[in-house]
């Protein structure tokens, strides 16, 4: 696969994913992502900051992924960690998120955020420039076990959610939406993007072989 094809999918995926997070943050009172439940629980129990725990957990997952399947780890993994937070802050600062006016509109906004996170996450992971620490970890497990990404994601995030809850992290009813709705969307976007990256890279490979 050529970088000229991979990079646009990676960048667009990061932007979509980050925007989805920003959208969901606007209605965080309805529930937060399982990984955030864990980060907040660790922060409340051991101190430091939520962001610091997100980095530490991410680094731990990178180490585990390296031993499982290091093909998912490269420069994009670290670009992901740096870019996502900056883009989320930018979207929130510019207030480019839907306004809410009640419970039903808040639920609609949350669902939009979940869908965008699933699509964006699948896109930048499939670009193979480097999956995010958590995505790379789950993709590595999926490859090793030979099971679907959706099943691995649901299983992993369910375990993370339970650990976060046991540590005292905040869990709300809509927290479960992230795992059981976002995961199938991520898998669909991942496979679709992988297909298109290969299709768009095909002519370039053919030309190179002919020369």
């Amino acid at each position: 696969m050529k970088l000229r094809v991979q990079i646009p999918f990676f960048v667009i995926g990061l932007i979509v994913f980050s925007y989805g997070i920003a959208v969901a943050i606007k209605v965080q009172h309805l529930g937060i992502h399982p990984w955030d439940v864990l980060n907040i629980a660790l922060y409340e129990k051991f101190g430091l900051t939520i962001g610091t725990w997100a980095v530490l957990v991410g680094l731990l997952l990178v180490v585990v992924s390296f031993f499982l399947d290091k093909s998912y780890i490269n420069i994009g993994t670290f670009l992901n960690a740096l870019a996502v937070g900056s883009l989320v802050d930018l979207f929130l600062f510019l207030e480019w998120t839907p306004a809410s006016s009640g419970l039903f509109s808040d639920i609609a906004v949350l669902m939009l955020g979940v869908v965008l996170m699933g699509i964006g996450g699948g896109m930048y992971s499939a670009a193979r420039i480097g999956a995010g620490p958590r995505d790379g970890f789950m993709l590595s497990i999926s490859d090793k076990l030979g099971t679907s990404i959706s099943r691995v994601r649901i299983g992993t995030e369910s375990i993370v959610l339970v650990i976060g809850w046991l540590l005292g992290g905040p869990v709300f009813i809509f927290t479960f939406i992230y795992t059981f709705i976002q995961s199938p969307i991520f898998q669909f976007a991942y496979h679709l993007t992988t297909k298109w990256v290969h299709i768009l890279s095909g002519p370039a490979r053919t030309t190179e072989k002919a020369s």
Side-chain angles (χ1 to χ4, degrees), residues 26-27 29-30 97-110:
K26 298 294 289 186
V27 289
H29 57 279
L30 294 178
T97 54
S100 60
S101 58
L103 177 60
F104 291 107
S105 64
D106 285 354
I107 293 175
V109 169
L110 176 63

Side-chain angles (χ1 to χ4, degrees), residues 1-6 194-211:
M1 293 185 288
K2 299 297 182 180
L3 283 175
R4 64 181 178 82
V5 175
Q6 293 171 276
T194 298
K195 174 183 176 181
W196 276 105
V197 168
H198 279 291
I199 290 174
L200 294 174
S201 299
R205 291 202 306 270
T206 302
T207 301
E208 288 178 359
K209 289 181 179 179
S211 61

Side-chain angles (χ1 to χ4, degrees), residues 8-18 116 119-121 123-124:
F9 279 107
F10 179 75
V11 172
I12 293 172
L14 280 182
I15 293 173
V16 172
F17 180 74
S18 302
L116 290 175
I119 294 174
M123 286 183 67
Y124 72 66

Side-chain angles (χ1 to χ4, degrees), residues 3-209:
L3 283 175
R4 64 181 178 82
V5 175
Q6 293 171 276
I7 291 175
F9 279 107
F10 179 75
V11 172
I12 293 172
L14 280 182
I15 293 173
V16 172
F17 180 74
S18 302
Y19 184 68
I21 294 176
V23 169
I25 286 176
K26 298 294 289 186
V27 289
Q28 58 183 300
H29 57 279
L30 294 178
I32 55 177
H33 194 277
W35 287 104
D36 293 324
V37 173
L38 176 61
N39 293 332
I40 291 175
L42 291 170
Y43 156 69
E44 293 180 344
K45 197 169 187 67
F46 301 107
L48 299 179
T49 66
I50 296 173
T52 300
W53 282 112
V55 172
L56 292 175
V57 171
L59 290 175
L60 175 62
L61 295 179
V62 169
V63 172
V64 175
S65 298
F66 179 82
F67 290 103
L68 290 176
D69 186 353
K70 60 183 178 181
S71 66
Y72 289 107
I73 302 172
N74 53 42
I75 186 63
T77 304
F78 301 98
L79 289 176
N80 177 297
L82 295 174
V84 170
S86 300
L87 287 171
V88 170
D89 287 342
L90 177 63
F91 288 133
L92 291 174
F93 174 76
L94 296 175
E95 298 185 348
W96 287 357
T97 54
S100 60
S101 58
L103 177 60
F104 291 107
S105 64
D106 285 354
I107 293 175
V109 169
L110 176 63
M111 291 300 296
L112 174 63
V114 172
V115 170
L116 290 175
M117 290 169 67
I119 294 174
M123 286 183 67
Y124 72 66
S125 296
R128 290 293 182 128
I129 289 180
R134 294 157 188 79
D135 295 323
F137 173 72
M138 288 182 279
L139 288 169
S140 299
I141 294 178
S142 175
D143 288 347
K144 288 296 182 182
L145 297 180
T147 189
S148 70
I149 300 170
S150 178
R151 287 185 179 181
V152 171
R153 194 178 187 93
I154 289 174
T156 301
E157 293 187 351
S158 295
I159 293 173
V160 169
L161 179 61
V162 170
I163 294 174
W165 176 70
L166 290 175
L167 289 173
V171 177
F172 303 99
I173 185 64
F174 285 98
T175 296
F176 299 97
I177 288 179
Y178 285 93
T179 298
F180 294 101
I181 295 182
Q182 184 180 323
S183 298
I185 296 172
F186 175 94
Q187 177 169 305
F188 174 79
Y190 178 83
H191 289 306
L192 182 62
T193 302
T194 298
K195 174 183 176 181
W196 276 105
V197 168
H198 279 291
I199 290 174
L200 294 174
S201 299
R205 291 202 306 270
T206 302
T207 301
E208 288 178 359
K209 289 181 179 179

